[in-house]
Amino acid sequence: MILVGELSLWIALLMCAWSVTLSFAGGVTRRPELVASGERGLYAGVGFVVLASAGLWTALLTSDFSLRYVASFTSANLPTIYKISAFWGGQAGSLLFWCLVLGGYAALATWSNRGRNRELMPWVTGTNAAVLLFFVMATALASNPFERLDWVPADGRGLNPQLQNPAMAIHPPLLYLGYVATAIPFAFAIAALVTRRLDAEWLGAVRRWSLVSWVFLTLGIVMGMWWAYVELGWGGYWMWDPVENASLLPWLTGTAFLHSIMIQEKRGMLRKWNVTLVVGTFLLSILGTFITRSGVIQSVHSFAQSAIGAWFAAFFVLALLATIALVSTRLRDLEAQAQLEAMISREAAFLYNNLVLVGIAFSVLWGTLFPILSEAVRGTKITVGESFFNAVNVPLGLLLLALTGIGPLIAWRKASVENIRRQFAGPAAFGLLVGAALLVLGIRKLSPIVAWTLAGFVAGTIIQEFWKGVGARRKMYDESVPRAFARLVARNRRRYGGYIVHAGIVILFAAFAGMAFKKEYDLTLKAGESATVVDPYGTRWTFTSEGLSEFKALNRDVLTLALRPEVDGVRLPLITSEKRQHRDSRGAPTFQPSTEVGVLSQQRQDVYVVLAGAIREDAEVRINFNPLVVWVWNGGLLMAIGGLIVMWPAADRRRRQVGYVAELEPQAVGAAS
Amino acid sequence: MHPRTKFLIGGLIVLGTAGWLMAGSIKATAVYFLTPEELQAKVLEDPGLRETGVKVGARVVAGTVERDSSGKRVAFEMTDGKATYRVEYVGLIPDTFSDSVDVVVEGRLGADGVFRATTLLAKCASRYEAAPEGYDTAKVHEQYRATGAAPTDTASR
């Protein structure tokens, strides 16, 4: 099976090359038999990529240490789940995984369009096959997971303990699913550019793909934050590390696209911009991979420096040049069909949303690439810190939050004073009330107050929308509240799913603002000793050490500290933090010792305990009180759920009914239904 | 005024503010990212650079790590093969730190030539990736024969 896998990789290479050639030839000559052959070539290529992946999985599961990849990332005593996830634990495997995901998407895109978009499809299939060809080539030639060692070790080195975490088993695949899905809209954009069919047709075909990418990226990023939070032990979930930034960039431009697409659908504006965003999102995914794989930028996350960086750089430049050439020869086909009519309108709000999202993306890219840029210009590497990203992105993020509330409610074309008063008076009052309440409570930090005030405003707009919608349904169909709510969402998925995403954003921003109040204590405790500290809410916590203990687990030695927290005389569950030394099946230590943090998660805050070290019985601990962290995960999850609702195909279009039409100006088009 | 012009003005205000924030905070937060050799050269050129915050990327010299068992204090030497500095760091030590990793330290070079780090990032080459280049199979094999142990992390460097 392993040999089959290795050979399959090479056959897949040929099949992809075949598919590229035949599909493009079919696109030029419009001969259906060439197009069909190109599509079959793609299916075959994907089939062989699947075989190659099955081969690698077989090697991992049967612990065939003659493969360097298997010996490098697994050991005989590794739990099965991590043997499976070791597939994407290293560079060579993750490249193959990339091929697998891309292949699956490309085949699905071709198959689901077998009776649709026929003009576009040869170019879509060909572009997808070309991208797949590149990835298969990089896998086979530059970083082959089937590379053999010239001797067979008795055991492998094992998977890095920090990757032995359930989040790490699913975070990379989620992120890849998101990254790679940006390739499909890119293929459609190229196809639309080549065939000059730049109307709304191709947008309809890519909207769902962009959502797929967006949902997976959202989940992947949030999961990555969670992993960093529980595994890296520094007490936070985001440090603007280049790798984190790389995952955020396509998310930002993808989000911008999901909004600007509505303007093109409704008004025929922003055609150039939408093509740019689609292509930009894909290129940022590639750039992100390049940044993280090439070692050009120092990151704690960096994968090893390797030749793969040059491959990605070459591909990036090629794709960029091809797009620029295509767009510049088709500027006339991309002319807008309408013009902005007023500053106070939904179009303008969406334009500002796009501007801010792209502005954030630009500043993040700038900060990430700054060391390279400064070296190129001034000859010295200069890095910018976390405070750069915060200084720029906190104000922009807050502006974005405000637009989250304004965009969906303001009228298309031109909003009247009446429209504004009716839609925003309630929510604005609610937001100001929240802000005033915070001031009364004695909070004096500016950006959290602004964040929570705006969060209150946006939450107000969302609640108002659901309130009106549910009320209208209750009146019209005499339904119970939960039923009216469910139907309202189900019948207007795009609109109310979007509101659910926005609700997730509100929760997320509110939770981010909470971190401004985090507190940190360093304690030294013997068994039985206690210490009292004050949390951000002013509550006194007493931590009593239950002592250090040592034990052996399946593949590791563990030193663990148990702390008993007590608040107002009430004992809470024990918090334990561990130092782990992983060992292979012969008992030899592998990797450096790793730390497992202990987290007591509450609604209002996380108590985050890190065992820093121990001198005989003295345990050195760091205790962080991290306010509202649990709401970061909840908000992220809610965003993904909202995205899924928007994405879900309408089961039966005939039964679709309008629950409630927004109060619009007479000539305005219905809201995003 | 045409709405489009108005929008463009608004856009410029937004972007201008963002640009201004970026420029300002780059000035405020930018630090040199140097190798030990570059640090040495810079300090010779401009002694004022001592006591200013810089970032240095280097490799830990094997065998120089002195850990305090509290796990919050460590001293070691870092080098790029051309210049070597002693580093003292107080704070949580990352799990990936050992005596053979690449580190990025941020802090100040004292007048006594000791680099006092306020942040310590350990960038373990094999953190996600096992020994890509220079994986000395023969050496690993030999070690494997001699000790009966599996190839370990250090074997790859």
Side-chain angles (χ1 to χ4, degrees), chain A residues 137-314:
Chain A
M137 218 149 83
T139 312
L141 297 174
S143 186
N144 195 324
F146 294 102
E147 193 188 342
R148 283 168 200 280
L149 291 166
D150 48 9
W151 58 292
V152 182
D155 199 354
R157 286 178 40 193
L159 189 66
N160 187 309
Q162 289 189 317
L163 301 187
Q164 295 187 31
N165 172 307
M168 228 15 181
I170 40 178
H171 154 67
L174 284 175
L175 216 48
Y176 288 151
L177 284 165
Y179 266 150
V180 180
T182 62
I184 309 293
F186 169 74
F188 272 96
I190 294 291
L193 283 169
V194 170
T195 57
R196 296 180 191 260
R197 299 173 70 90
L198 288 154
D199 42 26
E201 180 193 357
W202 76 279
L203 279 184
V206 302
R207 195 181 71 89
R208 190 156 292 153
W209 282 105
S210 303
L211 276 163
V212 169
S213 160
W214 186 89
V215 167
F216 281 125
L217 276 178
T218 305
L219 282 172
I221 292 170
V222 172
M223 193 69 81
M225 288 158 77
W226 186 71
W227 172 79
Y229 183 66
V230 299
E231 204 60 52
L232 297 183
W234 61 278
Y237 40 73
W238 193 269
M239 63 191 290
W240 298 106
D241 183 87
V243 170
E244 295 166 351
N245 296 347
S247 66
L248 188 63
L249 290 171
W251 186 89
L252 289 167
T253 51
T255 309
F257 174 68
L258 287 174
H259 289 92
S260 65
I261 196 175
M262 289 183 229
I263 304 206
Q264 186 171 346
E265 280 172 348
K266 297 262 189 257
R267 306 291 322 276
M269 293 158 61
L270 298 182
R271 285 147 58 102
K272 281 175 220 142
W273 179 242
N274 280 326
V275 170
T276 313
L277 279 180
V278 166
V279 174
T281 305
F282 174 67
L283 289 180
L284 284 174
S285 298
I286 298 292
L287 184 73
T289 316
F290 170 64
I291 289 175
T292 50
R293 298 307 160 102
S294 63
V296 289
I297 291 176
Q298 289 281 343
S299 152
V300 271
H301 292 268
S302 275
F303 288 74
Q305 302 201 4
S306 70
I308 206 76
W311 283 78
F312 276 98

Side-chain angles (χ1 to χ4, degrees), chain A residues 68 72-73 89-91 150-151 154 157 160 162-163 227 232-233 298-302 304-305 339-343 351-352 355 363 366 370 378 380-383 385 387-388 391-392 395 522 584 586 589 592-595 612-615 620-622, chain B residues 2-4 6-7 10-11 14-15 18 21-22 25-26 29-34 42 55 68-72 92 95-98 101 104 121-133 135 137 140-141 144 148-153 156-157:
Chain A
R68 173 190 282 191
S72 302
F73 293 105
Q91 179 173 281
D150 48 9
W151 58 292
R157 286 178 40 193
N160 187 309
Q162 289 189 317
L163 301 187
W227 172 79
L232 297 183
Q298 289 281 343
S299 152
V300 271
H301 292 268
S302 275
Q305 302 201 4
Q339 293 251 324
L340 192 63
E341 288 174 33
M343 264 294 276
L351 284 173
Y352 278 114
L355 198 65
S363 74
W366 181 262
F370 199 71
R378 293 181 47 187
T380 321
K381 268 192 188 173
I382 297 175
T383 62
S387 43
F388 163 78
V392 181
D522 285 321
D584 64 14
R586 287 160 174 273
Q592 290 103 32
S594 62
T595 309
I615 318 171
E620 298 269 346
V621 270
R622 168 165 289 181
Chain B
H2 197 274
R4 197 166 147 168
K6 276 197 231 166
F7 171 77
V14 172
L15 290 185
L21 283 168
M22 276 170 71
S25 50
I26 278 187
T29 74
V31 290
Y32 280 119
F33 186 61
L34 306 166
K42 284 247 181 232
K55 250 186 197 176
D68 167 343
S69 54
S70 71
K72 280 187 200 152
L92 280 188
D95 285 342
T96 39
F97 180 80
S98 78
V101 290
V104 177
L121 297 179
K123 194 185 148 227
C124 175
S126 61
R127 179 148 166 208
Y128 296 124
E129 188 58 40
E133 276 101 51
Y135 185 85
T137 315
V140 174
H141 199 173
Y144 167 69
T152 60
D153 220 15
S156 60
R157 295 198 195 86

Side-chain angles (χ1 to χ4, degrees), chain A residues 446-503:
Chain A
L446 179 65
S447 39
I449 291 180
V450 175
W452 283 328
T453 303
L454 288 174
F457 162 68
V458 182
T461 62
I462 296 168
I463 293 166
Q464 177 180 284
E465 281 293 281
F466 275 104
W467 183 268
K468 285 184 183 172
V470 169
R473 280 201 75 90
R474 276 170 61 79
K475 225 188 230 166
M476 233 189 291
Y477 304 105
D478 197 22
E479 289 168 338
S480 66
V481 173
R483 194 183 173 85
F485 182 87
R487 287 255 169 108
L488 180 72
V489 175
R491 299 283 153 80
N492 306 277
R493 294 200 172 113
R494 253 181 108 169
R495 177 162 163 200
Y496 289 95
Y499 289 151
I500 291 174
V501 174
H502 283 182

Side-chain angles (χ1 to χ4, degrees), chain A residues 354-414:
Chain A
N354 266 249
L355 198 65
V356 173
L357 279 166
V358 173
I360 293 175
F362 178 75
S363 74
V364 171
L365 187 66
W366 181 262
T368 309
L369 297 180
F370 199 71
I372 304 181
L373 298 176
S374 66
E375 190 170 32
V377 176
R378 293 181 47 187
T380 321
K381 268 192 188 173
I382 297 175
T383 62
V384 294
E386 228 177 295
S387 43
F388 163 78
F389 292 102
N390 290 337
V392 181
N393 291 325
V394 169
L396 285 180
L398 291 176
L399 184 56
L400 190 63
L401 183 60
L403 287 169
T404 308
I406 297 167
L409 292 193
I410 199 162
W412 286 97
R413 301 179 69 153
K414 190 173 191 330

